[in-house]
Amino acid sequence: VTATALAIDIGATKISCAVVTATGDIRERAVGTTPRVGADVVAAVVGLIGRMASAASVRSVGVGSAGIIDPASGVVTGATSVLANWEGVRLRDDLEAALGLPVTIMNDIHAHAWGEKRFGAGASRDSVFVVAVGTGLGAVLATRRGIEPGAHGASGHFGHISCPEAGTEPCACGGRGHLESVASGLGVPALYRRLGGDRAVASAKEVFALVDADPVAAATVQHAATALGRAIGGAVNLLDPESVVLAGGMRDPGGPWLSLVDRSIRDVALPTLRGIPLAVAQLGDDAALVGAGHYALTRGGQNDL
Ligand SMILES: [Zn+2]
């Protein structure tokens, strides 16, 4: 019998649950809408799991969740504007009480990076810097030894580093002038409008589609990709990973994006590191589920990184 864990991916809009094997395969899944109030999330998760026949056989649970989760206590300590009343939820204790199983909690970026490191684009590497560009922007180093969550579980807030192209734009975290305001699913259309683009354009996808026809869209993509690549190049100099993996919904939107990011990384990287491979993620939306499930299996439900 192959060992399995229950994996739970808690995002701002949806909750995904899956039974994940030790080899990274997904056996069964259930998806639901994230409740509007964080305190209702545990009940929603329990409801979803009740619909999964194979969930009864698991012995451990791995959670990848939006927000900052304190590694020691399993309590949500920060959530920007992700979920109302999410801060203060005792996510690990409440889930363990509700499910009667050991629960391992990690931030969703950490879970996503672990999935790609273990079973995706980083599987053949000793260390990868996984950059997830979606609605928001996060990135973290994943090595054979796992993920370093940081003293507060807050490592990987890559979108919240200073970025000249962001000027003094307010950020979802409460700060100003952060990379996420330029190079993310929300940042790209916002930058496009700031540069004088069509006010009706609301998504990054629309901006990418306009690149050949609209000089403002072309300039937006140039600025956003260059800013992202510059930040990644700086991180490469700091961490010296074996490879960079671009993940998330904007991993490869077509057009000049990927080559601009690639060039910008190499403009900043130290001469020794300039040849670092840039790969595109392989697991898509399943990365966080696979990562959280595998982490729970290998750590035996102990939240000890
Ligand atoms: Zn920020």
Side-chain angles (χ1 to χ4, degrees), residues 27-232:
R27 287 273 172 81
E28 185 182 6
R29 70 173 82 218
V31 181
T33 306
T34 306
R36 287 177 170 237
V37 174
D40 296 336
V41 164
V42 170
V45 167
V46 171
L48 282 172
I49 292 168
R51 310 208 304 246
M52 298 170 68
S54 56
S57 63
V58 304
R59 291 291 168 265
S60 59
V61 179
V63 179
S65 173
I68 299 171
I69 320 293
D70 181 68
S73 65
V75 173
V76 181
T77 60
T80 61
S81 52
V82 172
L83 270 174
N85 303 326
W86 188 226
E87 285 179 29
V89 171
R90 303 178 62 82
L91 190 57
R92 189 179 64 214
D93 287 357
D94 289 355
L95 277 173
E96 286 188 339
L99 302 173
L101 292 167
V103 174
T104 302
I105 305 248
M106 38 192 336
N107 170 268
D108 54 356
I109 290 292
H110 299 170
H112 194 115
W114 186 245
E116 283 295 334
K117 162 68 190 81
R118 193 65 183 68
F119 299 108
S124 65
R125 307 290 187 182
D126 282 337
S127 61
V128 286
F129 186 60
V130 180
V131 184
V133 192
T135 308
L137 174 57
V140 76
L141 181 72
T143 72
R144 283 181 184 280
R145 292 172 297 284
I147 306 278
E148 174 48 63
H152 306 88
S155 75
H157 279 73
F158 197 51
H160 305 286
I161 64 175
S162 191
C163 169
E165 287 87 345
T168 57
E169 284 301 307
C171 183
C173 71
R176 284 180 181 274
H178 289 176
L179 180 62
E180 193 170 283
S181 305
V182 169
S184 69
L186 294 175
V188 165
L191 176 63
Y192 173 76
R193 294 190 296 267
R194 289 203 296 280
L195 292 175
D198 182 350
R199 308 297 301 175
V201 167
S203 73
K205 199 175 174 183
E206 291 171 76
V207 177
F208 288 119
L210 286 168
V211 160
D212 290 332
D214 177 350
V216 180
T220 301
V221 170
Q222 167 88 34
H223 286 310
T226 302
L228 178 62
R230 191 196 311 120
I232 295 171

Side-chain angles (χ1 to χ4, degrees), residues 243-266:
S243 170
V244 173
V245 173
L246 266 191
M250 276 167 60
R251 60 190 176 275
D252 186 9
W257 175 259
L258 205 52
S259 62
L260 287 168
V261 172
D262 186 275
R263 190 186 313 160
S264 180
I265 292 171
R266 276 159 241 294

